Amino acid sequence: MAESELLVLGAGPGGYAAAFHAADLGLSVTLVDDAVNPGGVCLYRGCIPSKALLHVAALVNEAGASAETGVAFAPPKVDLDTLRGWKDGVVRKLTGGLGTLSGARKITHVQGRGTFTGPTSLSVERAEGGTEEISFRQAIVAPGSLPSTLPFLPIGGRIMDSTAALDLPDVPKALLVVGGGYIGAELATVYAALGSKVTIVEVTGGLLPGCDRDLVRPVEARLKGALEEILLDTRVTGAEASAKKVKVAFDGPKGAKEASYDRVLVAVGRKPQTSGFGLEKAGVKLDDHGFIVVDAQRRTNVPHIFAIGDAAGQPMLAHKASHEGRVAAEAAAGRHVAYEPAAIPAVVFTDPEIAWAGLTETEAKAKGIEVAVSRFPWAASGRAVAIGRTDGLTKVIAEKGSGRVLGWGITGAGAGELIAEGVLAIEMGAVAEDVALTVHPHPTLSETLMEAAQGILGHATHYYGR
Ligand code: NAD
């Protein structure tokens, strides 16, 4: 039986970050995953391929919008095989790079499906055949999550989950996206840019529930122009798939109706992957929602086993998993650490992007927290006007009285890049004045954070009258 000082199960952004950091701290690490290289859902069939495709969607949209500048491009010709190959190349480059980094750290990578056989042992069904038994002193479990499904929309054929949709089987004439959350909004953006007539059906009253409405509005406005239809407060009640079409029944504010689509994408959330690999044999406890119960160091009820990432609680975001992974690795190496981020940013890579971090206005209202909110419209940003993207908004939410920065919300081109400054401000306990007094380069969209913070003090240079 092979012996490991630290076993890491699952090589997504949580697992590989944990394995790499633990190896850097001097532990001998075995990393078990069914793929040939680290990467997990994020790199193989999530964040990275979707961002590659969203980049192409942005190119198409920008080229289409550029006629008003006096420079017009011909309508795009989409060569799906080349596009697919390019996207797969992006994935290969990054996962291959992680494989090299793993090897350089002398991490033992075992490719296969691991199942716990006890609190200190794992059996791996190796991809190349045969099984390998590994005994470990400590373990970090990072199994990730799986797409949720709907009983009447079984995945297969014309009914796709996000993995199938990212494979780009074709550009369907009519695509129905069930669920207007992160995945629904992002992949609707991709397929609409490639030429599909896309309908989103969302069971709640708005796209991206959980995000402040003022941030969603610019995205909703743009999607209304780009998509065939957005059905809100509408439930899918049944579906019937034939060889060429999927007939779908809806129930919404205007009553029941039916429509046919060439393909359907189901994106109704994800659930933790915490069964089917012997966690119970290791003695690890789950909560009522199926998440692994962890403490501040991400230790499970079995003290030498840690759990991180989507399987260890919300939010199910790659960067949260990576951060937890580094915390767990340090704890495994005997350091005194805790997972206690002041804010975890969320980004939806739609066009425009939406990013937020810390306290939202909706939460402040619900919890009765007294806050001051300052909104800076991008129409007042020189850079936003120069790039033709005034459809943005930067807002800061500060504690009333002290001005301590509690939250940020940004909608606009590149919002995902801009939010990091806001997160740092929250993490460092900054007050609005700190951000307002920080010299920001001109002309950039980053100035919108400074001006929003100036607004808390009552004097934003490029915005008058509040
Ligand atoms: P989600 O939770 O973001 O959205 C699911 C949506 O489906 C919700 O709006 C919900 O109201 C709706 N819904 C649920 N049941 C429905 C039904 N029967 N009919 C119609 N609508 C229904 O989930 P997702 O979009 O599937 O994404 C899964 C997870 O993956 C996210 O929670 C997120 O953590 C992660 N993710 C993140 C990013 C990113 O960071 N940019 C991108 C994609 C996915």
Side-chain angles (χ1 to χ4, degrees), residues 179 181-183 186 201-204 209 267-270 316-317 347 349:
Y182 280 78
I183 294 178
E186 290 185 2
V201 55
E202 164 59 43
V203 77
T204 69
V268 293
R270 295 182 69 88
M316 292 195 189
L317 297 171
V347 182
F349 293 86

Side-chain angles (χ1 to χ4, degrees), residues 25-304:
L25 294 172
L27 296 177
S28 104
V29 180
T30 304
L31 181 58
V32 177
D33 189 277
D34 46 18
V36 64
N37 280 312
V41 170
C42 171
L43 276 93
Y44 283 102
R45 46 192 180 277
C47 324
I48 295 299
S50 66
K51 262 75 267 176
L53 295 179
L54 278 158
H55 166 67
V56 173
L59 282 178
V60 169
N61 293 340
E62 269 199 56
S66 117
E68 71 171 30
T69 68
V71 178
F73 294 92
K77 279 191 205 132
V78 180
D79 176 342
L80 215 50
D81 287 336
T82 306
L83 176 56
R84 211 182 286 119
W86 172 77
K87 174 210 43 141
D88 292 345
V90 169
V91 171
R92 246 191 335 271
K93 204 174 288 170
L94 289 170
T95 52
L98 289 175
T100 305
L101 287 172
S102 177
R105 288 176 160 100
K106 311 265 185 293
I107 290 170
T108 306
H109 183 106
V110 180
Q111 192 190 350
R113 301 265 338 145
T115 304
F116 287 99
T117 48
T120 56
S121 56
L122 185 92
S123 173
V124 184
E125 213 175 290
R126 295 189 69 118
E128 67 214 35
T131 54
E132 179 168 342
E133 309 299 325
I134 303 171
S135 77
F136 56 84
R137 231 178 283 163
Q138 299 191 87
I140 297 177
V141 185
S145 58
L146 294 166
S148 300
T149 49
L150 295 171
F152 43 85
L153 281 168
I155 304 304
R158 310 208 144 257
I159 302 173
M160 312 183 287
D161 58 10
S162 55
T163 305
L166 287 168
D167 280 343
L168 280 182
D170 56 19
V171 178
K173 270 203 189 109
L175 171 70
L176 175 70
V177 176
V178 184
Y182 280 78
I183 294 178
E186 290 185 2
L187 288 180
T189 303
V190 167
Y191 274 92
L194 294 178
S196 294
K197 285 183 190 299
V198 181
T199 298
I200 294 182
V201 55
E202 164 59 43
V203 77
T204 69
L207 297 179
L208 299 161
C211 179
D212 283 346
R213 291 301 92 189
D214 55 347
L215 299 176
V216 176
R217 227 165 278 132
V219 173
E220 234 160 16
R222 196 170 265 258
L223 281 177
K224 267 186 192 146
L227 306 187
E228 189 68 4
E229 221 178 347
I230 300 175
L231 304 169
L232 299 176
D233 284 317
T234 304
R235 187 172 287 281
V236 175
T237 53
E240 208 180 292
S242 64
K244 293 215 163 140
K245 293 269 179 193
V246 187
K247 194 156 83 178
V248 180
F250 304 98
D251 194 11
K254 291 183 193 153
K257 73 166 192 168
E258 278 187 354
S260 281
Y261 301 89
D262 300 291
R263 283 186 183 273
V264 175
L265 162 63
V266 182
V268 293
R270 295 182 69 88
K271 52 184 187 211
Q273 181 168 23
T274 46
S275 63
F277 58 96
L279 272 181
E280 62 292 344
K281 292 222 170 92
V284 171
K285 277 195 194 141
L286 307 182
D287 70 11
D288 294 343
H289 303 283
F291 289 105
I292 300 172
V293 180
V294 288
D295 70 5
Q297 288 196 319
R298 310 287 98 172
R299 252 179 234 276
T300 67
N301 60 302
V302 183
H304 64 276

